Amino acid sequence: MNYAQIGWFYQDDFTFLRRYNHAIYWWDILSFENFGRFFSRNLYWYLGNEFFSPNALFFYFFNFSCVVATSFLAFFLFRREHDAFIGTAAGMVYFTMPATVMSYIWISNSQHLLGHFFVLLFVCLYQRLSRAQDSVRNVIALCTVFLLGLSSNIFMSMALSLVAWDLITDPVQRKKRISYAVLAISGLLSVFFFVKLSKAAAGSYSTKISWDVLLENIRFYWQSSWNGLLWLIAVAAGALVSIRRKQYFNAWLFLASVAFFMPFAFFVQQRYLQYGSLCYLFFFLGIFALLADWLKHRAPRVLAASVCLIVFIGFLASLGKPVRYFLEHPWGAEQRQQVSFLKQFNRAHPQAMHYCFWPAGQKKAADDGAQAPAPLEWWLVGFGDAFAYFVDASKTYALERPGVQCDARFEFEDGVLRHIP
């Protein structure tokens, strides 16, 4: 919550704020230029503009409420499968994971936080409704949650692995219609999303199905190839032990760890710790559930100590790097200072209509008009959207290049914006 006081808008945030300031653009529902994230982009940013005015603090509060809500869903799920004590620990595992902290520190990561929420909501509802009598209302409820999750983040499709696993392992469930209906309808939605997204998977979201890319991603998300191999061995062992004990839901937790890794397994460039949140969550919950089951009747005091230790280690891991680092280096703080500086300059020079920017130390574009790649500083202000939204939308903001009109020139140097006389 302290971070919400010092963080600000950053990079993509500015583009979303400006684009969805006055309209939702309903036709984007079938457009996949935004990677099918209609709920977590169009609706989130339009309503954020409407209700938050736009104050970054309120956006952070909303995202934090998503973290808390997802933690409670983990609690309810494990309380149902085990008991309230185990459920509390399960919720705290999600709440204290470093990947959860990483998902919170940038407002645009609401796409992941909303996705986490809908995945856990779907799992909780499915565990409850699929055991009830067949009902069209239950099918609609599950498919609606699935669609909301799918339009928040594509990794929602991996939640269908639970439905498929349930049909494979539960003879009673195979005689009911609800799982087949949910699997069919949601499966078709997933195929539609993936086909559409495959045409947009270029640039920073480009994919390449190869062993080299897979190994590189395993090394990134598990810190080394050996840790990745240990993870896969633990997944196989945990699933087999759970199956042997007829704990099929717990076996799925291990398998889900792999399932939720797959959407990011072949990204060539996009690698961020928060992408692995659900992969880490289900893996550690699978281990945790096995440990809890084994100790529950044999050594309850050891179980209590083990639970506290697991949560404490997770909390220390978050404090050790993500929390402390981002409190010292809040995302958006530099951009807020740049916007403040430009507001002051704008008031002092109302006649200047065309602002040009260039980062210090960068070579300018050649005289023949050749385009230089956009520097990082320009990305971080949303390609000038930060200034158009927060300073003055009637003026133009562009990189300094041949043919671009400049009434005032500025440069970025170590995150500070300076006027060039």
Side-chain angles (χ1 to χ4, degrees), residues 81-131:
E81 296 290 328
H82 296 276
D83 57 41
F85 179 69
I86 302 301
T88 301
M92 290 301 292
V93 166
Y94 175 77
F95 188 80
T96 60
M97 281 198 312
T100 303
V101 175
M102 286 288 289
S103 294
Y104 176 75
I105 49 91
W106 182 15
I107 293 176
S108 282
N109 280 336
S110 57
Q111 299 164 65
H112 299 281
L113 295 175
L114 285 167
H116 298 169
F117 171 77
F118 284 119
V119 166
L120 269 293
L121 180 61
F122 179 86
V123 172
C124 286
L125 282 179
Y126 180 79
Q127 287 295 90
R128 179 182 175 184
L129 298 182
S130 65
R131 271 58 184 171

Side-chain angles (χ1 to χ4, degrees), residues 202-223:
S204 59
Y205 285 92
S206 61
T207 59
K208 181 180 179 182
I209 300 178
S210 71
W211 281 109
D212 290 341
V213 174
L214 176 61
L215 288 174
E216 186 62 32
N217 280 304
I218 287 176
R219 291 189 195 103
F220 176 83
Y221 289 104
W222 294 98
Q223 305 303 310

Side-chain angles (χ1 to χ4, degrees), residues 229-251:
L229 179 61
L230 183 62
W231 162 58
L232 292 174
I233 292 172
V235 164
L240 289 173
V241 170
S242 299
I243 292 171
R244 185 176 179 181
R245 295 179 177 179
K246 300 188 183 302
Q247 298 173 340
Y248 297 116
F249 176 74
N250 200 63

Side-chain angles (χ1 to χ4, degrees), residues 249-396:
F249 176 74
N250 200 63
W252 175 76
L253 291 175
F254 285 102
L255 300 176
S257 174
V258 177
F260 281 93
F261 175 74
M262 294 311 295
F264 316 110
F266 297 100
F267 275 165
V268 177
Q269 302 174 44
Q270 291 284 95
R271 298 185 181 100
Y272 298 99
L273 181 64
Q274 60 266 32
Y275 284 7
S277 293
L278 293 176
C279 171
Y280 303 138
L281 176 66
F282 289 123
F283 175 66
F284 288 114
L285 288 184
I287 293 176
F288 174 66
L290 279 182
L291 174 68
D293 182 68
W294 186 70
L295 289 174
K296 191 171 185 179
H297 301 294
R298 291 176 176 84
R301 290 184 179 179
V302 175
L303 171 60
S306 300
V307 167
C308 293
L309 181 62
I310 289 171
V311 172
F312 184 65
I313 289 173
F315 186 61
L316 283 183
S318 289
L319 284 181
K321 184 177 180 183
V323 171
R324 288 177 180 170
Y325 176 81
F326 288 111
L327 283 176
E328 294 174 1
H329 307 86
W331 285 14
E334 291 181 350
Q335 287 67 45
R336 177 160 48 186
Q337 293 174 350
Q338 293 163 11
V339 164
S340 177
F341 169 77
L342 216 54
K343 281 182 176 179
Q344 295 177 10
F345 181 89
N346 189 52
R347 286 192 291 267
H349 303 82
Q351 74 284 357
M353 297 300 296
H354 304 283
Y355 292 6
C356 296
F357 302 83
W358 198 259
Q362 292 280 343
K363 293 182 179 179
K364 295 181 174 61
D367 293 337
D368 61 4
Q371 295 293 307
L376 177 62
E377 292 89 345
W378 199 233
W379 279 74
L380 301 186
V381 293
F383 300 96
D385 284 335
F387 307 134
Y389 189 86
F390 285 101
V391 180
D392 189 339
S394 68
K395 303 191 176 186
T396 65

